């Protein structure tokens, strides 16, 4: 019986996400079972002159994201785009500006943005593990066909991220504390992946070189391109 209740809640939350993102008619019925959840919306704006934009809607109850949907456009076409929810107890919990460009190269890499948005607390991938441990598994993130995508995932549990040894997660607290911070409007959705030279691929040989997060990946894969605070 409990399993059936969870399925109903997930379907109800997904229906509300679809309406909120315009993926379903506004007249679509949203079951009463979603009422009482915290509904959060983020308007995603470009970083690094990417031209990317979008919207994210999340429905959170307790320590679970019942559903989260993202519609994004202006992205590198036919390429994967890592996306996460960030939060940091010591962070500003907002989107970064070029004032955080520590090395003065005219672009923000992911690490430079951490004082603003904090470390990853949820990996918004399409399948499998959603903890920060998956934050660089690019093969499991959405691909922007023709430069856009619609994403929906249900029943994502928050995690005690410090317990999995994620770098920079020390002091973030328990899953319950992180969930409380997200419900309070301190979660930041960040999308990554910027083909700076427009050649259609992410390359280690491009001027940006290797990612500061993993030298085996091009910086174009991990640099942030869009950001918004869930409020």
């Amino acid at each position: 019986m409990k399993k059936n209740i969870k399925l109903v809640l997930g379907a109800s939350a997904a229906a509300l996400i679809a309406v909120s993102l315009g993926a379903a008619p506004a007249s679509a019925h949203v079951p009463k079972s979603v009422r009482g959840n915290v509904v959060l919306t983020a308007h995603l704006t470009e970083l690094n002159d990417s031209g990317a934009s979008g919207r994210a809607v999340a429905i959170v109850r307790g320590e679970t994201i019942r559903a989260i949907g993202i519609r994004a456009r202006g992205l590198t076409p036919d390429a994967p785009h890592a996306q996460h929810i960030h939060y940091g107890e010591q962070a500003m919990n907002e989107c970064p500006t070029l004032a955080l460009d520590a090395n003065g190269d005219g672009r923000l890499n992911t690490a430079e943005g951490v004082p603003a948005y904090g470390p990853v607390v949820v990996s918004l991938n399409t399948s499998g593990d959603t903890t920060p441990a998956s934050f660089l598994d690019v093969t499991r993130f959405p691909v922007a066909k023709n430069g856009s995508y619609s994403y929906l995932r249900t029943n994502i549990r928050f995690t005690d991220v410090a317990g999995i040894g994620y770098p920079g997660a020390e002091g973030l607290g328990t899953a319950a504390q992180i969930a409380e911070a997200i419900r309070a409007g301190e979660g930041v959705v960040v999308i990554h992946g910027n083909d700076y030279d427009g050649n259609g691929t992410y390359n280690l040989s491009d001027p940006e070189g290797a990612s500061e997060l993993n030298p085996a990946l091009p910086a174009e894969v991990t640099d942030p391109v869009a950001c918004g605070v869930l409020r």
Side-chain angles (χ1 to χ4, degrees):
M1 181 66 178
K2 287 184 178 180
K3 183 177 180 182
N4 290 337
I5 291 173
K6 288 182 179 179
L7 289 172
V8 169
L9 287 171
S12 301
L16 180 55
I17 293 289
V19 172
S20 299
L21 290 176
S27 60
H29 174 63
V30 180
K32 293 181 180 179
S33 56
V34 302
R35 294 178 184 175
N37 292 277
V38 178
V39 181
L40 304 162
T41 300
H43 297 282
L44 308 177
T45 57
E46 70 173 356
L47 294 175
N48 287 321
D49 296 320
S50 66
S53 63
R55 190 179 185 207
V57 179
I59 299 173
V60 182
R61 175 185 288 179
E63 297 175 33
T64 301
I65 301 173
R66 290 295 182 185
I68 182 166
I70 298 174
R71 297 188 77 185
R73 57 188 177 276
L75 299 162
T76 299
D78 306 315
H81 291 272
Q83 54 181 12
H84 316 92
I85 297 176
H86 293 247
Y87 160 73
E89 191 176 27
Q90 305 302 318
M92 295 179 281
N93 298 307
E94 61 186 36
C95 293
T97 69
L98 268 179
L100 293 175
D101 178 19
N103 62 5
D105 64 356
R107 65 182 179 90
L108 284 172
N109 62 35
T110 296
E112 288 171 332
V114 167
Y117 45 61
V120 172
V121 292
V122 177
S123 295
L124 298 174
N125 45 31
T126 56
S127 63
D129 170 67
T130 57
T131 73
S134 295
F135 84 120
L136 284 182
D137 190 350
V138 181
T139 62
R140 290 194 289 119
F141 287 101
V143 172
K145 185 176 182 180
N146 298 321
S148 64
Y149 64 77
S150 294
Y151 168 87
L152 176 66
R153 191 155 183 187
T154 60
N155 295 320
I156 298 174
R157 294 280 296 177
F158 288 100
T159 309
D160 295 333
V161 293
I164 64 173
Y166 174 63
E170 298 80 3
L172 279 179
T174 64
Q177 290 169 327
I178 294 170
E180 181 180 4
I182 302 304
R183 293 195 304 269
E186 296 185 311
V188 185
V189 174
V190 182
I191 299 176
H192 306 260
N194 196 343
D195 177 23
Y196 287 101
D197 59 6
N199 67 0
T201 58
Y202 303 138
N203 291 307
L204 278 168
S205 59
D206 285 340
E208 295 76 25
S211 169
E212 79 283 2
L213 303 176
N214 182 343
L217 292 174
E220 289 184 315
V221 170
T222 59
D223 278 7
V225 295
C227 177
V229 181
L230 286 165
R231 301 192 190 282

